[in-house]
Amino acid sequence: MENIQLAGTARNGTPGPAVTRPAGRFQAALLVAGSCMPVLGAVLLAPILPTLSQVFAGTPGVAILVPLTLTLPALFVALFSPLAGYVADRVGRKQLLVFAMLAYAAFGTAPLWLTSLESIALSRVGVGIAEAAIMTCCTTLLTDYYQGEQRNKYLGLQTMVSALAATAFFALGGALGSISWRTPFWLYAASAVIVIPMIFKLWEPARSQRTTAVRTPVPWRQIGAPAAVTLFGGIVFYALIVHLPYVITGLGVADAALIGLAAAIASLATAAGAISFRFLAKLGTKNLLALAFGLAAVGLSLVSVAGNVPLAIAGAVIASAGTGVLLPTLLTWAVNGLEFQQRGRGTGIWTGTLFIGQFLTPIVLGAAAAGLGSLGFALGALGIACAVALLAVLVRGPRMVAVTH
């Protein structure tokens, strides 16, 4: 049955909140599944990068183009998320999400028949733009559909499932890549399957408010601080996701299974931190940020000085638990005070800064490692930066308001 909506009117004459049918677990499952698409784009191809280098060895600039096939989507998510948020506010969340899911499937599977490395890299630009819209719309709809404890629950679940999906997609990419370098690209067709129930089970909230969205400015004073912290938080979040395998290898481990096990344990810690957000939200944004940066500082410091694998994994678990709490805390801090008409753009700005952090992570840590002499020192410096962030939060952090709005 078609959704029936009634828009209220505030005393100042502006449209008030709309009355919609309540969203349930199935809608949350669809939106969380959609949120995994950018994770799929980020890690799926990592295991086949050496194979791509061999297949296209004769291509000029292959040493640059092959890594770009992995990182280009994150860059374009960062660049286009604010625009996706504007379109979501102006045109509608569901309509943009459906279009983006179909575009993601088309661009993602394009390398199945593309024959040049340049064209494959170009298709990855399309994947990134589609991911920008998917991530922005899925997150915005979660904040539209759910309030209070339910919102905290599903935002934590979004981070948890994404962390677990990263581990699964990495393993799946390696298994499929052993068949053929093209085979992993078939997984991008998953979005064409997920979009079918999205068409029938998701709806556009407050359709009548859409036309007023572009006339409601984004409150930069409110979104600016969370976005700035998220830029740094994105680097912290992805630091060990990207570099833990190198740390384990540097400790003399050549067994791919053990390296994968270390990454999986860290991912589980991220998931545990994310799901705990639902229960910790009552502590308030300031306390949660302090907790997250404190755990990250301790964990990264341990990893930086670890002389053996168990200590490195212990540090990774502590840091990953902190970043699991960090991400949903930053998101709720950014969007909780936004009006409906601003929420798409606010979420888009937040998503853009997070993915700028992801894109910058290997660049920042690579430069720090070159300057300081080792990756361990670079991770230690990031741990010190987290300790400084902890002090800054305690001194000048957001008000002690529980994340339950």
Side-chain angles (χ1 to χ4, degrees):
M1 187 174 67
E2 192 68 27
N3 179 38
I4 299 174
Q5 304 169 49
L6 299 172
T9 303
R11 292 183 180 179
N12 61 5
T14 60
V19 179
T20 65
R21 62 183 179 184
R25 294 180 179 177
F26 189 69
Q27 284 74 28
L30 289 175
L31 295 173
V32 169
S35 300
C36 289
M37 296 301 101
V39 180
L40 176 68
V43 304
L44 180 66
L45 302 189
I48 67 167
L49 293 184
T51 304
L52 285 177
S53 296
Q54 295 174 3
V55 171
F56 295 102
T59 302
V62 63
I64 297 175
L65 284 175
V66 168
L68 278 178
T69 61
L70 186 66
T71 58
L72 271 175
L75 175 61
F76 279 84
V77 171
L79 294 176
F80 278 84
S81 289
L83 177 61
Y86 174 86
V87 176
D89 279 343
R90 183 66 180 88
V91 177
R93 288 85 148 110
K94 178 185 173 180
Q95 184 175 339
L96 178 60
L97 176 59
V98 169
F99 176 80
M101 292 287 283
L102 294 172
Y104 179 90
F107 284 113
T109 58
L112 291 169
W113 54 83
L114 295 175
T115 57
S116 71
L117 185 56
E118 294 90 346
S119 60
I120 290 174
L122 190 61
S123 74
R124 302 292 288 168
V125 172
V127 169
I129 295 173
E131 286 176 353
I134 292 170
M135 192 67 186
T136 299
C137 290
C138 285
T139 304
T140 303
L141 283 172
L142 281 173
T143 59
D144 286 339
Y145 284 174
Y146 307 99
Q147 302 293 324
E149 296 261 346
Q150 269 197 318
R151 177 187 286 181
N152 295 336
K153 171 184 175 181
Y154 290 129
L155 290 179
L157 187 66
Q158 184 186 39
T159 304
M160 182 197 78
V161 173
S162 296
L164 295 176
T167 303
F169 290 150
F170 190 92
L172 196 54
L176 294 176
S178 65
I179 301 172
S180 164
W181 69 266
R182 294 187 189 269
T183 307
F185 291 98
W186 279 110
L187 285 182
Y188 287 93
S191 64
V193 177
I194 297 172
V195 77
I196 296 173
M198 282 182 168
I199 292 172
F200 295 102
K201 294 298 183 180
L202 300 182
W203 59 88
E204 189 66 45
R207 188 184 302 269
S208 62
Q209 296 185 17
R210 189 186 305 158
T211 57
T212 67
V214 295
R215 295 196 295 270
T216 305
V218 174
W220 285 102
R221 177 175 292 183
Q222 177 181 324
I223 196 72
V229 178
T230 297
L231 178 59
F232 173 68
I235 296 174
V236 176
F237 184 85
Y238 286 102
L240 290 180
I241 293 175
V242 174
H243 292 96
L244 184 60
Y246 295 101
V247 172
I248 301 299
T249 302
L251 292 172
V253 176
D255 185 358
L258 182 56
I259 295 172
L261 176 63
I265 292 172
S267 293
L268 289 173
T270 302
I275 203 62
S276 71
F277 170 77
R278 175 188 178 188
F279 308 101
L280 297 174
K282 60 186 178 183
L283 297 177
T285 301
K286 184 174 182 177
N287 284 333
L288 287 177
L289 288 177
L291 173 65
F293 283 127
L295 289 172
V298 172
L300 287 168
S301 298
L302 281 177
V303 172
S304 71
V305 300
N308 55 68
V309 173
L311 185 58
I313 293 177
V317 166
I318 295 171
S320 298
T323 57
V325 174
L326 179 64
L327 224 58
T329 301
L330 289 170
L331 177 56
T332 51
W333 180 24
V335 303
N336 262 348
L338 296 177
E339 300 176 16
F340 173 84
Q341 298 95 326
Q342 304 166 326
R343 205 171 287 148
R345 285 166 290 165
T347 303
I349 292 166
W350 182 86
T351 302
T353 55
L354 174 65
F355 277 84
I356 289 174
Q358 176 182 340
F359 181 75
L360 290 177
T361 297
I363 299 173
V364 170
L365 285 175
L372 297 173
S374 74
L375 176 60
F377 286 151
L379 291 171
L382 185 59
I384 294 172
C386 288
V388 173
L390 164 62
L391 294 175
V393 166
L394 293 176
V395 175
R396 295 291 301 274
R399 290 179 303 152
M400 302 281 287
V401 177
V403 190
T404 56
H405 296 80

